[in-house]
Amino acid sequence: MERETGAREGLKGWLNPSKIGKFGIERLAWLLMRLTGLGLLAYFIGHIYETSHILDGKAVWDKSLEMTQTTEGHLFLALVIGMCVFHTGNGIRLMIAQMGYGIGKAERPDYPYKPQSINMKGKACIYATLGMAALAMWYGMAVMFA
Amino acid sequence: MATIHPKLSDELSQTVVSSTKSVKIKIKRSNPNVNSEQKFDDFVVPIEKWTTVLDVLLDVKSHLDHSVGVRYSCRQASCGSCGMKINGKPGLACFTKISELDSDTVTVEPMDNYPVVRDLAVNMDRMINNHKKVMPYVIREDSEIDAESGIREFLQSPENVEKYIQFSSCIKCGLCNSACPTMAMDKTFVGPQALAQAYRYIADDRDKGKNKRLKVIDESHGIWRCHFAGSCSQVCPKGVDPAMGIQLLRGYLLGIRD
């Protein structure tokens, strides 16, 4: 019986940047979807903790709000905006694709085989979502640093 | 015990090299049954424009190092035996020409997400077991040949054949499971190969085993674990497009598609 050496790649399979180069923008979107999901979950927990200070009186509440009124705080919030927009936009793309739309039609494949599910519509949606996230971050920073 | 192999130096002197080009091949070597050591061995092999990665490996085995472990059979992308990671991406060694890699150095490693047996050969038990789990055959109570009812065959329209024919090209090479990022983390995930095969039979209108098959895949480590990275479809050497099959099957499970 073989030892289970190399049976699973583990986190390397997720985070190895060479995978994105080899498997294209869809793999980048997949990785960003995971990372932004985890980031937003962490933000949500932090946000609940921060807003719970409202129960401790005005002074404590004002102090906790000051945390985001710094340059680092603004950059962090801009990142949250970017994560939120990307996760929403890409999530809508995935929901539509996972219902079976926009992934082509099953038919006899001809050489050279081009997977229909990996198509320009999907790629355009990913680039558009990345663009929207960048734009939202830029606008957020413009407002916060004004 | 006397060796049956000729001396390596004798073989080398008999090798006729007509090519002016050569490639350096780096082969990942390991034998988990002996120890956990992993290393790369380098060999320089002459090539022609039609030389495949498998040709190079067999050249190495014939003339430079007989002990390289590689699984292969048909040499024409039909058997699915020679799957491996070629320059970091899963591919069939017999279906990948050195010239199309556009590199003077080719690195070959065993496929990810499979236990290594030795060198480039991996254990595919998990994939085969998952493949069996989805019951990859037409399930019907009645027989195709039935003298009493006069049924001779299950007729199918060309349109119905088109619904699944793409997915019946699967050669069980396992490249899709190797490329899948979910397979990298989830040891109980069914995998794109088996899910695509589940769709192949569910989409076949001769099949009556839909509910049995859906029971296997409609669970948390089944079809819902796919996050549509699409890597499986990008590496499939037969144009199966497992990612499409999985999404179509999901649409069906959600009651949105027929």
Side-chain angles (χ1 to χ4, degrees):
Chain A
M1 178 96 180
E2 299 81 19
R3 281 163 50 188
E4 291 278 306
T5 307
R8 288 192 308 280
E9 274 189 290
L11 271 180
K12 247 194 333 179
W14 284 21
L15 301 171
N16 186 348
S18 75
K19 300 267 182 192
I20 293 158
K22 306 245 182 253
F23 295 113
I25 191 76
E26 292 80 10
R27 186 73 171 229
L28 175 67
W30 174 86
L31 179 62
L32 288 177
M33 193 69 180
R34 307 238 96 186
L35 295 178
T36 54
L38 291 170
L40 289 171
L41 177 67
Y43 174 76
F44 175 70
I45 293 165
H47 180 68
I48 297 288
Y49 173 74
E50 187 200 18
T51 51
S52 70
H53 288 317
I54 202 162
L55 300 172
D56 301 328
K58 191 173 184 305
V60 179
W61 171 241
D62 286 344
K63 200 176 172 195
S64 71
L65 280 185
E66 278 171 19
M67 282 195 296
T68 51
Q69 302 306 313
T70 59
T71 304
E72 294 81 11
H74 286 163
L75 289 173
F76 171 72
L77 287 178
L79 190 66
V80 171
I81 292 169
M83 288 196 298
C84 207
V85 172
F86 178 81
H87 202 81
T88 307
N90 195 48
I92 292 169
R93 174 187 77 88
L94 286 174
M95 278 196 285
I96 293 168
Q98 292 180 0
M99 286 191 279
Y101 296 109
I103 52 164
K105 190 177 159 218
E107 58 187 14
R108 199 178 298 266
D110 285 322
Y111 186 83
Y113 309 116
K114 296 262 183 225
Q116 284 194 63
S117 63
I118 309 298
N119 54 38
M120 282 315 292
K121 275 184 282 184
K123 287 181 199 293
C125 286
I126 296 169
Y127 283 118
T129 309
L130 285 168
M132 280 193 299
L135 201 65
M137 285 173 77
W138 174 80
Y139 180 72
M141 283 197 282
V143 170
M144 286 186 284
F145 287 109
Chain B
M1 198 169 86
T3 176
I4 58 167
H5 297 296
K7 277 184 188 169
L8 205 55
S9 55
D10 290 350
E11 263 196 23
L12 281 173
S13 66
Q14 291 164 14
T15 307
V16 179
V17 180
S18 60
S19 175
T20 52
K21 281 188 178 173
S22 62
V23 68
K24 181 159 104 175
I25 187 153
K26 294 165 76 76
I27 304 174
K28 190 169 185 182
R29 311 293 302 270
S30 66
N31 188 349
N33 290 315
V34 176
N35 56 41
S36 58
E37 188 193 354
Q38 298 183 352
K39 60 173 183 169
F40 281 94
D41 281 347
D42 298 358
F43 304 94
V44 177
V45 176
I47 55 162
E48 302 287 352
K49 65 180 176 187
W50 53 82
T51 304
T52 65
V53 174
L54 184 62
D55 292 334
V56 171
L57 287 167
L58 296 180
D59 201 330
V60 170
K61 272 181 81 71
S62 297
H63 302 118
L64 304 171
D65 186 344
H66 303 306
S67 70
V68 171
V70 56
R71 185 189 288 133
Y72 69 98
S73 182
C74 73
R75 310 186 193 202
Q76 54 181 5
S78 290
C79 72
S81 300
C82 62
M84 59 187 70
K85 227 162 65 167
I86 302 164
N87 281 355
K89 193 172 180 181
L92 289 181
C94 70
F95 201 50
T96 309
K97 283 195 286 188
I98 298 289
S99 55
E100 73 194 39
L101 294 171
D102 201 22
S103 167
D104 294 333
T105 303
V106 175
T107 306
V108 286
E109 299 165 78
M111 284 192 288
D112 291 322
N113 307 328
Y114 292 92
V116 175
V117 177
R118 187 165 67 82
D119 297 342
L120 303 171
V122 295
N123 183 334
M124 302 177 94
D125 285 354
R126 180 182 168 194
M127 185 193 76
I128 299 296
N129 288 338
N130 284 337
H131 180 64
K132 284 181 185 168
K133 251 195 245 173
V134 299
M135 295 168 273
Y137 38 83
V138 172
I139 300 171
R140 280 186 80 114
E141 292 296 317
D142 52 344
S143 165
E144 203 169 358
I145 300 167
D146 183 348
E148 276 183 26
S149 65
I151 295 171
R152 302 298 297 172
E153 59 186 327
F154 300 131
L155 293 175
Q156 215 169 22
S157 67
E159 291 76 34
N160 282 339
V161 173
E162 289 291 314
K163 286 182 185 170
Y164 70 83
I165 193 73
Q166 173 172 13
F167 305 97
S168 63
S169 303
C170 176
I171 55 171
K172 289 90 188 166
C173 60
L175 298 181
C176 51
N177 283 12
S178 175
C180 174
T182 305
M183 292 294 287
M185 289 295 278
D186 187 344
K187 65 178 176 187
T188 51
F189 179 48
V190 180
Q193 189 277 334
L195 290 171
Q197 290 313 292
Y199 178 75
R200 179 255 174 269
Y201 287 96
I202 287 169
D204 188 332
D205 65 345
R206 297 168 300 174
D207 182 76
K208 303 293 175 202
K210 205 174 277 181
N211 292 339
K212 283 185 186 174
R213 231 172 254 118
L214 290 180
K215 252 184 218 169
V216 177
I217 59 168
D218 185 13
E219 53 104 31
S220 61
H221 293 278
I223 195 162
W224 308 110
R225 204 54 120 194
C226 166
H227 302 294
F228 194 25
S231 306
C232 52
S233 296
Q234 289 185 352
V235 298
C236 179
K238 304 302 281 186
V240 170
D241 201 349
M244 181 207 273
I246 296 169
Q247 310 325 314
L248 290 174
L249 193 49
R250 261 186 181 148
Y252 175 77
L253 272 165
L254 292 168
I256 293 163
R257 295 189 73 98
D258 297 335

